Amino acid sequence: MDSNEATTSESVSKKKGKTKKVKRKVKHDEAPVQEMEQAEGEETEKKSESGPCFPPTFSVSEIKNKQRRHSMFLKLKEEKRKKKKKERKALGDKAPPKEVPKTIENQRIYDETTVNPEDEEVAFDEGTDEFSAYFNRLTNPKVLITTSDRPRGRTVRFCEQLATVIPHAHVYYRRGLALKRVIPQCVSRGFTYLMVINEDRKVPNGLVLCHLPDGPTAHFKVSNVRLRKEMKRRGKDPTEHVPEVILNNFTTRLGHSIGRMFAALFPHDPQFVGRQVATFHNQRDFIFFRFHRYIFKNEKKVGIQELGPRFTLKLRSLQKGTFDSKFGEYEWVHKVRSKSKISFTIYKNTFKYA
Amino acid sequence: MQHDDVIWDLIGNKSFCSYKVKTKTQQFCRNEYNITGLCNRSSCPLANSQYATVREEKGLCYLYMKVIERAAFPARMWEKVKLDRNYAKALEQIDENLIYWPRFIRHKCKQRLTKITQYLIRIRKLTLKRQRKLVPLSRKVERREKRREEKALIAAQLENAIEKELLDRLKQGTYGDIYNFPIHAFDKAMEKQEEETESEEEEEEDEEESGTREFVAEEEFEESDLSDFEDMNNLKGSSDEEEDAEEQSSEEEETEEELEEEKTKAKSKGKTPLKGPVRKKRAYVEIEYEQETEPAQKSKAT
């Protein structure tokens, strides 16, 4: 009798203990026998030491406490990962190949307008378009940089820094002149490019790049402008040497023409002595501009140091002929996608150039 | 005929007038035929049987006169006279039409005509100037684009791409003979000092520039640059073959190294402008030199 009472009291106390820890421990049938309970207690201890294990009906999401649930979930994930790794190792060579994660670049539908390097039509077009004069070495670039009316300090400094980056560039104050009147004057003075930096709320936010004799006009949205003094770990100011140009990912037809536009900004022969390089990198329709100084440490390693301003561009419209917003003929205008749902097929339309 | 006083009595003060707009200090009249725009006994078009206005439509001014005999036909009540475009002639026309009318109305009509012509002139001037078009930004779109830009930046891996491109160009040989990696060490400046062989003349253009660079570089590349490119002088390519260095050159190297080391130590605080690999301070220098008897190896296969 006494032993029974003792057992019942023990079982009661044990039950209490178990109800408290029921989340962590296995719910098992309460055995009235003392030894069984002890044995089970040991088992539960072992189990709790080896890691949380649950009967099939229990899931992590049933835990009401967020912190505990989170920690249980993390543990579960860790376990899964270890298991998978072990399996992979065990399989050795026969293991299935590692899966490549999906990225936007992977998922892109092939764009028909991508330019094939040997395409004759493209080559013919480029032989006769407005940049052919530059690419045939008939003209040297000369750039006029100006702003919209009444520029603020940041824009002015940005213009000055651009002028140091682009050789043969001159900055002129706008003084409320109409662009349509400025253009013939530029042409008569032998400029090949007109660059207008538009300003909004004391910050440059737009760029109109107009190729001069009668070339196309591109309008870009400018964002993330970083001036020289805001750059971390930058080098000294760029020298007067002509930099090299890198154009990345301008693969479609539109991208190709924009790429040529950028290339024509710089003189033909870069001075490798200067070891400076200007990069226009296109990624998902954003063109990132960077200006670096490089040095080859050996044939396999190169170090680059960022000088110069950096900014990103996004093409808004490309217009044939010089700047004429009312009557110009637009080759391409950026249309905002009305659908908010993002699916991979739509990217085909958005990324007009690579 | 019309009981002007009675009408004014009612709508002016006592009762309601739907054209009246009251403010703290003044009362305005919203009636389109009102000549002054204020709610007064003399300017109320409803309470005056003899009334005239000047109004403008599409750049032309018209004189409107109220014909009280047609008060029963409100649609036909106002007589419209087109005024001349010439300001002076228009004034004369007003005078001629309102010849025996009260002074007040004549005067106010002329004043109104003056104002109208002035603002028409201003409109014409402004249309000739550059008009700024305000394009509205959609906040959602801007936010989305910003986010996409950040992601594109991460996906672009710019530095890697640029380095890759530069190395490709080096391999292709666009740099010509400036950098002679496969066989010889990079250190052009040092080599220039010792070498007097024809190999220099072979690459005279580059050499000249690099030769001048040697001196200019020391000034251009001030200490910070030297600390950047401190590895410049002790390049040891993994694939480079080693060659015997001449004693003189080695001595000179060492002295220069020492100088540079001192400089870099002086400037070492926090200056890590270049990427990782350049940062370490090396303890030794190994420089390969080509011997004078091997000029042929300099030419790079391009």
Side-chain angles (χ1 to χ4, degrees):
Chain A
M1 291 296 280
D2 289 333
S3 60
N4 280 340
E5 282 175 6
T7 53
T8 48
S9 67
E10 272 195 54
S11 66
V12 163
S13 61
K14 278 228 163 165
K15 247 192 190 171
K16 279 192 193 155
K18 278 173 194 160
T19 47
K20 275 187 199 161
K21 301 180 197 166
V22 76
K23 298 162 196 166
R24 291 186 136 261
K25 306 228 168 143
V26 180
K27 277 190 219 159
H28 48 265
D29 303 323
E30 313 283 354
V33 182
Q34 213 177 16
E35 293 126 344
M36 281 287 283
E37 281 175 325
Q38 279 180 350
E40 279 165 8
E42 286 171 8
E43 271 184 33
T44 52
E45 278 177 19
K46 271 192 216 157
K47 282 184 185 169
S48 63
E49 280 168 3
S50 68
C53 37
F54 307 95
T57 51
F58 189 87
S59 83
V60 180
S61 55
E62 278 176 26
I63 303 177
K64 297 292 185 183
N65 183 327
K66 185 169 181 175
Q67 258 188 341
R68 260 192 224 156
R69 192 171 62 230
H70 186 59
S71 59
M72 292 313 300
F73 181 70
L74 290 178
K75 282 199 191 133
L76 195 69
K77 274 271 164 175
E78 191 63 42
E79 283 247 324
K80 268 198 197 162
R81 215 183 302 155
K82 281 196 188 145
K83 210 172 81 176
K84 192 163 185 192
K85 210 172 180 182
K86 242 191 251 176
E87 284 176 11
R88 258 194 105 79
K89 230 182 184 175
L91 280 178
D93 279 336
K94 289 180 281 176
K98 241 188 172 171
E99 293 165 43
V100 177
K102 287 188 197 173
T103 62
I104 289 180
E105 280 77 23
N106 292 349
Q107 301 299 115
R108 277 196 74 220
I109 294 178
Y110 178 72
D111 200 345
E112 306 96 29
T113 59
T114 309
V115 167
N116 195 358
E118 297 106 38
D119 203 340
E120 282 173 2
E121 199 183 309
V122 171
F124 177 70
D125 273 342
E126 294 183 353
T128 53
D129 79 352
E130 296 105 349
F131 298 109
S132 56
Y134 168 80
F135 284 104
N136 294 335
R137 304 213 165 203
L138 294 170
T139 53
N140 280 323
K142 192 171 169 198
V143 182
L144 177 71
I145 303 182
T146 183
T147 64
S148 53
D149 283 342
R150 299 193 177 249
R152 310 293 292 215
R154 207 177 154 82
T155 313
V156 169
R157 267 176 276 142
F158 179 52
C159 287
E160 287 167 16
Q161 291 185 4
L162 263 186
T164 57
V165 163
I166 302 175
H168 306 305
H170 306 269
V171 181
Y172 280 99
Y173 187 49
R174 180 75 175 274
R175 293 180 94 236
L177 300 168
L179 279 181
K180 289 202 193 145
R181 293 219 192 101
V182 167
I183 287 178
Q185 285 190 20
C186 283
V187 175
S188 66
R189 292 192 199 188
F191 281 97
T192 54
Y193 263 103
L194 174 67
M195 224 192 217
V196 183
I197 299 189
N198 190 46
E199 189 199 20
D200 180 51
R201 299 233 194 125
K202 309 181 193 175
V203 137
N205 78 337
L207 175 73
V208 174
L209 189 59
C210 184
H211 185 74
L212 268 184
D214 36 39
T217 311
H219 175 43
F220 296 95
K221 174 174 93 144
V222 169
S223 46
N224 278 357
V225 172
R226 285 257 203 106
L227 300 175
R228 224 167 255 153
K229 63 176 184 179
E230 294 157 11
M231 306 277 234
K232 294 184 191 167
R233 292 180 261 183
R234 68 175 165 101
K236 304 194 73 66
D237 290 338
T239 56
E240 292 294 321
H241 295 111
V242 174
E244 299 174 44
V245 181
I246 292 182
L247 298 163
N248 273 343
N249 287 348
F250 288 92
T251 55
T252 60
R253 191 74 193 79
L254 177 67
H256 215 63
S257 42
I258 301 285
R260 279 161 69 80
M261 217 174 174
F262 286 132
L265 268 176
F266 294 88
H268 296 282
D269 301 309
Q271 292 169 325
F272 298 123
V273 183
R275 286 187 286 125
Q276 290 170 153
V277 59
T279 311
F280 292 89
H281 182 104
N282 173 27
Q283 186 84 16
R284 302 184 193 177
D285 284 1
F286 288 100
I287 303 173
F288 298 103
F289 172 82
R290 299 287 185 270
F291 194 73
H292 291 279
R293 184 174 277 143
Y294 63 88
I295 177 164
F296 286 109
K297 287 176 240 161
N298 56 35
E299 62 183 5
K300 295 218 175 101
K301 267 206 274 182
V302 59
I304 54 175
Q305 185 185 39
E306 186 154 14
L307 331 167
R310 65 154 79 156
F311 51 93
T312 65
L313 301 169
K314 186 164 205 274
L315 182 67
R316 281 247 192 84
S317 66
L318 180 63
Q319 180 208 333
K320 246 182 158 59
T322 54
F323 180 73
D324 190 342
S325 47
K326 273 193 269 181
F327 305 110
E329 175 197 336
Y330 281 95
E331 267 185 41
W332 186 84
V333 173
H334 174 60
K335 289 202 186 76
V336 179
R337 271 187 308 150
S338 49
K339 282 197 190 150
S340 55
K341 178 183 167 207
I342 298 181
S343 71
F344 283 130
T345 55
I346 299 181
Y347 281 114
K348 172 189 162 197
N349 296 325
T350 332
F351 298 129
K352 281 288 169 184
Y353 42 99
Chain B
M1 264 201 308
Q2 282 295 85
H3 308 285
D4 293 344
D5 292 328
V6 174
I7 294 174
W8 177 248
D9 216 17
L10 289 171
I11 63 176
N13 294 315
K14 279 199 206 148
S15 192
F16 177 76
C17 174
S18 65
Y19 297 108
K20 197 195 294 196
V21 174
K22 264 183 156 175
T23 31
K24 254 193 245 174
T25 47
Q26 256 206 354
Q27 291 176 349
F28 295 100
C29 182
R30 266 176 44 227
N31 192 321
E32 52 197 3
Y33 290 102
N34 190 314
I35 199 166
T36 52
L38 309 170
C39 188
N40 283 328
R41 174 69 184 87
S42 43
S43 3
C44 186
L46 307 171
N48 288 305
S49 20
Q50 202 178 32
Y51 202 79
T53 338
V54 173
R55 270 171 74 190
E56 174 258 336
E57 218 174 296
K58 292 184 195 165
L60 292 171
C61 302
Y62 297 92
L63 175 66
Y64 287 82
M65 289 178 289
K66 186 172 176 181
V67 180
I68 201 61
E69 288 84 16
R70 297 193 222 134
F73 314 102
R76 290 179 249 155
M77 195 162 53
W78 291 90
E79 189 88 18
K80 191 167 157 179
V81 173
K82 186 166 165 185
L83 293 174
D84 207 46
R85 286 217 187 191
N86 185 335
Y87 175 63
K89 284 207 191 128
L91 286 177
E92 282 172 15
Q93 274 179 315
I94 290 179
D95 265 333
E96 159 191 329
N97 276 309
L98 302 179
I99 187 161
Y100 294 119
W101 285 50
R103 229 181 302 139
F104 175 76
I105 293 181
R106 251 186 292 146
H107 184 59
K108 287 296 175 189
C109 278
K110 287 185 204 163
Q111 274 190 340
R112 217 177 145 89
L113 173 70
T114 317
K115 253 302 176 281
I116 288 174
T117 46
Q118 282 174 351
Y119 80 60
L120 285 175
I121 291 171
R122 215 183 309 142
I123 289 176
R124 273 180 250 136
K125 232 191 257 176
L126 280 178
T127 52
L128 291 177
K129 273 195 185 171
R130 292 163 34 228
Q131 279 167 346
R132 195 164 301 188
K133 186 173 171 201
L134 293 175
V135 176
L137 294 175
S138 165
R139 222 175 299 151
K140 249 197 219 173
V141 171
E142 291 302 307
R143 241 189 295 146
R144 278 195 212 132
E145 283 203 348
K146 202 167 127 208
R147 185 83 181 116
R148 287 206 191 116
E149 192 187 315
E150 288 166 10
K151 293 199 169 173
L153 182 63
I154 296 171
Q157 293 176 344
L158 280 170
E159 275 124 25
N160 293 348
I162 296 175
E163 288 173 6
K164 194 161 106 55
E165 176 70 28
L166 288 170
L167 286 171
D168 284 343
R169 285 190 185 178
L170 182 67
K171 282 210 184 81
Q172 277 184 348
T174 44
Y175 299 129
D177 283 334
I178 309 177
Y179 312 106
N180 296 320
F181 280 126
I183 309 168
H184 310 289
F186 169 69
D187 195 357
K188 227 35 178 131
M190 302 294 260
E191 286 177 327
K192 187 74 172 129
Q193 285 174 12
E194 292 91 30
E195 283 174 350
E196 316 139 8
T197 59
E198 327 91 61
S199 55
E200 288 177 25
E201 291 162 3
E202 277 172 28
E203 325 160 316
E204 53 181 316
E205 285 176 44
D206 302 332
E207 287 268 347
E208 272 172 25
E209 287 172 357
S210 58
T212 53
R213 180 171 57 123
E214 177 205 331
F215 296 100
V216 174
E218 298 295 322
E219 292 153 17
E220 256 188 45
F221 295 172
E222 287 172 7
E223 297 168 342
S224 63
D225 271 3
L226 276 175
S227 68
D228 303 344
F229 306 142
E230 63 183 298
D231 274 0
M232 220 174 84
N233 290 321
N234 56 330
L235 285 171
K236 176 191 164 192
S238 50
S239 59
D240 290 351
E241 303 160 49
E242 295 221 358
E243 290 183 346
D244 301 328
E246 300 163 37
E247 283 188 351
Q248 290 177 346
S249 53
S250 58
E251 279 175 8
E252 290 192 34
E253 287 163 47
E254 278 163 37
T255 49
E256 283 210 351
E257 275 165 56
E258 283 164 11
L259 281 174
E260 280 165 17
E261 278 200 73
E262 287 167 11
K263 282 183 192 170
T264 54
K265 276 173 194 160
K267 282 251 143 187
S268 60
K269 293 277 170 181
K271 272 251 179 181
T272 56
L274 261 197
K275 308 209 145 257
V278 191
R279 282 207 245 141
K280 347 175 232 192
K281 295 213 162 110
R282 71 283 175 274
Y284 67 94
V285 161
E286 251 184 48
I287 298 195
E288 296 90 349
Y289 277 79
E290 73 165 359
Q291 291 175 355
E292 297 181 4
T293 53
E294 302 172 357
Q297 290 182 16
K298 269 234 164 177
S299 56
K300 228 179 156 180
T302 51

